[in-house]
Amino acid sequence: MSGVRTLLGLGLLVAGSRLPRIKSQTIACRWGPTWWGPQRLNSGGRWDSEVMASTAVKYLSQEEAQAVDQELFNEYQFSVDQLMELAGLSCATAIAKAYPPTSMSRSPPTVLVICGPGNNGGDGLVCARHLKLFGYEPTIYYPKRPNKPLFTALVTQCQKMDIPFLGEMPSEPTMIDELYELVVDAIFGFSFKGDVREPFHSILSILKGLTVPIASIDIPSGAGTQKVGQGRLGPYPPDSCPHQV
Amino acid sequence: MSSAAGPDPSEAPEERRFLSTAEAAALERELLEDYRFGRQQLVELCGHASAVAVTKAFPLPALSRKQRTVLVVCGPEQNGAVGLVCARHLRVFEYEPTIFYPMRSLDLLHRDLTTQCEKMDIPFLSYLPTEVQLINEAYGLVVDAVLGPGVEPGEVGGPCTRALATLKLLSIPLVSLDIPSGWDAETGSDAEDGLRPDVLVSLAAPKRCAGRFSGRHHFVAGRFVPDDVRRKFALRLPGYTGTDCVAAL
């Protein structure tokens, strides 16, 4: 049974000397000289927001997404903390727009945030914190924690804000469906390659059986690997990752 | 953790809407030390929220091309760093910021924030005209990110002091971040012959001197104070709605 999936882009809009001059509307990650059609270039520089809304967003490949990241870190001197904070905040904002508290059954609405072992997991930690401030009741499952100050600090911030961390993953999808109204998938991001190792393989199998909506940060975790295959987390051809808000 | 300043017991808890300078510093220390927030995180959230506050006070669709040009004047300390972040987000929001940042701090945070602005083609002025009419004509509004609470006006150098003297005569709108630069953060003295901003954007919570603010809009910006901390300082903040990071007082 398929539920609702929402893809949330990491997204930061960058306008700079090496990228074409762009006027932003929404938070999205953009790249390349070809994503505005010729009529845009001739419009005299004043973007009509309605026209922009209908312009297709370009999807980045994994290589492009990594290249954007590298440019932000190396040329623009953004720090990982900065971008992660902006990413997590914008994801929480997007989730709150897609699933406003007033549309949910519980007050406050309960959300399970599953954080993976890398930066996507870090985005999830930031997202959970902002969801709490927005009036949700998040719970985090964070089984593999990198031993780096960035991540330990993010965990502390969540713990100090009384966001519980589960000791183990609920073993049945129905258990999650009963306790939480929404699941945030912050397991794997655009850098993910290769096989899905435990415990995440089992986690992804459980998520496939959910009926509550899943919001994926950046990409549906596991997409792009042969092993995930069909179903609610795919299919996506290998080496291409949709990346959108 | 001990904090040197807690809530003033003579003020009823539900009525406290302002923080003293010492309390603001204690609140920040709690976030940095107990909650392990990074300074860069908080500065980013404050700067982003300040830019959002500017968009609420001066919405883009209502502005002419000239009115979208924003001069952001940044001091050498944390208030200036918030200004740099604010300028970057204003750029993303399609305003046209220009920065005057005469006393550049050497610390890594300021340097990286400066690089980010430079790489986004935000011009940095090498000097600020002392003739205020030139500023009135060139820009639609000015953001004052020169001095925060706890920084003595005498501590900053000549260029900032001269800039503030010029800004006192401004006729285009002025937005001050956290406190109007030059005001005493506690008493708001110098409010008469200091800067008279049209908009005050209090960061995280209003400071005591905000009681003497008499401009058009007062916002609280920077939605990151955990509930427990808010209660500990017996702060009554305006309700943020939805996903807003700015609330009007």
Side-chain angles (χ1 to χ4, degrees):
Chain A
M1 173 156 178
S2 67
V4 176
R5 292 210 65 116
T6 311
L7 292 175
L8 300 170
L10 259 184
L12 259 192
L13 187 69
V14 178
S17 48
R18 300 217 2 225
L19 297 174
R21 202 165 176 93
I22 38 182
K23 306 275 184 171
S24 71
Q25 179 195 344
T26 54
I27 301 166
C29 210
R30 315 221 170 171
W31 182 256
T34 58
W35 44 265
W36 292 125
Q39 65 273 26
R40 303 289 157 267
L41 295 174
N42 295 332
S43 71
R46 296 291 295 262
W47 307 115
D48 180 319
S49 62
E50 268 173 65
V51 171
M52 275 189 59
S54 63
T55 306
V57 175
K58 180 180 192 264
Y59 295 99
L60 302 182
S61 70
Q62 183 175 55
E63 289 72 32
E64 285 170 328
Q66 284 170 327
V68 169
D69 234 30
Q70 284 310 303
E71 174 133 358
L72 292 177
F73 290 132
N74 298 334
E75 305 275 331
Y76 286 70
Q77 300 292 307
F78 279 102
S79 69
V80 180
D81 315 50
Q82 245 177 320
L83 297 188
M84 198 168 275
E85 189 69 28
L86 293 173
L89 171 60
S90 32
C91 286
T93 305
I95 291 171
K97 285 190 193 302
Y99 304 99
T102 46
S103 72
M104 311 288 264
S105 321
R106 292 194 177 102
S107 185
T110 52
V111 182
L112 176 62
V113 184
I114 305 178
C115 298
N119 286 354
N120 204 253
D123 296 335
L125 294 174
V126 176
C127 177
R129 173 165 37 87
H130 286 284
L131 284 175
K132 175 93 188 203
L133 289 165
F134 292 161
Y136 294 78
E137 181 97 359
T139 296
I140 298 173
Y141 182 54
Y142 190 29
K144 291 276 185 232
R145 308 184 186 187
N147 189 16
K148 288 188 200 160
L150 166 66
F151 297 98
T152 52
L154 291 177
V155 167
T156 301
Q157 292 155 29
C158 288
Q159 287 170 332
K160 291 283 297 181
M161 285 180 64
D162 297 325
I163 298 173
F165 283 72
L166 294 180
E168 55 184 33
M169 178 76 180
S171 51
E172 295 293 320
T174 46
M175 291 163 66
I176 299 179
D177 287 338
E178 273 161 37
L179 291 171
Y180 306 102
E181 301 182 71
L182 174 67
V183 170
V184 176
D185 152 31
I187 301 173
F188 297 126
F190 63 77
S191 314
F192 177 73
K193 265 184 172 46
D195 296 339
V196 180
R197 287 203 284 268
E198 289 298 350
F200 299 106
H201 192 262
S202 306
I203 292 173
L204 292 179
S205 305
I206 295 169
L207 295 190
K208 278 186 208 170
L210 289 185
T211 54
V212 293
I214 301 175
S216 282
I217 296 189
D218 213 14
I219 63 160
S221 292
T225 67
Q226 306 278 27
K227 297 245 161 104
V228 172
Q230 306 289 316
R232 298 179 62 223
L233 290 173
Y236 292 93
D239 300 323
S240 91
C241 297
H243 184 120
Q244 69 177 84
V245 168
Chain B
M1 186 206 89
S2 68
S3 84
D8 182 344
S10 67
E11 263 184 292
E14 15 354 307
E15 286 172 277
R16 280 170 52 80
R17 294 168 196 274
F18 303 113
L19 286 178
S20 71
T21 308
E23 287 166 336
L27 191 151
E28 184 182 85
R29 235 180 357 255
E30 175 138 359
L31 293 179
L32 294 174
E33 292 172 12
D34 285 17
Y35 281 73
R36 306 267 317 275
F37 279 101
R39 191 173 291 281
Q40 184 163 56
Q41 248 175 316
L42 300 183
V43 167
E44 187 74 26
L45 290 171
C46 284
H48 168 257
S50 299
V52 173
V54 169
T55 69
K56 287 199 187 300
F58 304 98
L60 200 64
L63 299 181
S64 70
R65 186 77 200 270
K66 187 256 188 184
Q67 288 170 320
R68 296 175 188 204
T69 57
V70 182
L71 175 65
V72 185
V73 185
C74 299
E77 313 230 356
Q78 186 152 297
N79 204 250
V82 174
L84 293 173
V85 177
C86 177
R88 172 167 35 88
H89 286 280
L90 284 175
R91 176 79 174 78
V92 172
F93 294 157
E94 300 184 41
Y95 292 73
E96 292 181 23
T98 294
I99 296 172
F100 180 56
Y101 179 36
M103 322 262 318
R104 298 212 179 179
S105 170
L106 295 174
D107 74 70
L108 195 56
L109 173 61
H110 283 84
R111 288 209 321 250
D112 287 346
L113 294 177
T114 304
T115 301
Q116 290 152 30
C117 288
E118 287 170 341
K119 292 290 293 181
M120 287 180 67
D121 298 329
I122 300 173
F124 282 71
L125 297 181
S126 50
Y127 75 98
L128 190 69
T130 47
E131 180 54 61
V132 71
Q133 198 46 31
L134 295 175
I135 303 178
N136 291 334
E137 281 164 16
Y139 302 101
L141 69 113
V142 177
V143 174
D144 151 37
V146 182
L147 298 174
V151 180
E152 293 299 315
E155 284 171 35
V156 296
C160 287
T161 311
R162 283 193 290 279
L164 290 178
T166 307
L167 293 184
K168 281 180 196 171
L169 308 170
L170 211 58
S171 55
I172 54 176
L174 178 67
V175 178
S176 279
L177 301 191
D178 213 15
I179 64 163
S181 294
W183 286 29
D184 182 299
E186 292 293 308
T187 63
S189 72
D190 208 30
E192 278 77 45
D193 49 39
L195 290 187
R196 302 179 67 104
D198 299 88
V199 178
L200 178 61
V201 181
S202 293
L203 301 179
K207 315 302 174 293
R208 282 237 179 95
C209 67
R212 300 195 63 176
F213 171 70
S214 58
R216 261 190 291 157
H217 301 285
H218 183 191
F219 296 106
V220 169
R223 187 178 180 180
F224 49 78
V225 180
D227 232 29
D228 279 357
V229 176
R230 191 190 53 74
R231 272 194 293 266
K232 176 173 173 175
F233 286 84
L235 263 183
R236 186 189 185 89
L237 293 176
Y240 289 98
T241 52
T243 56
D244 287 353
C245 55
V246 173
L249 281 129

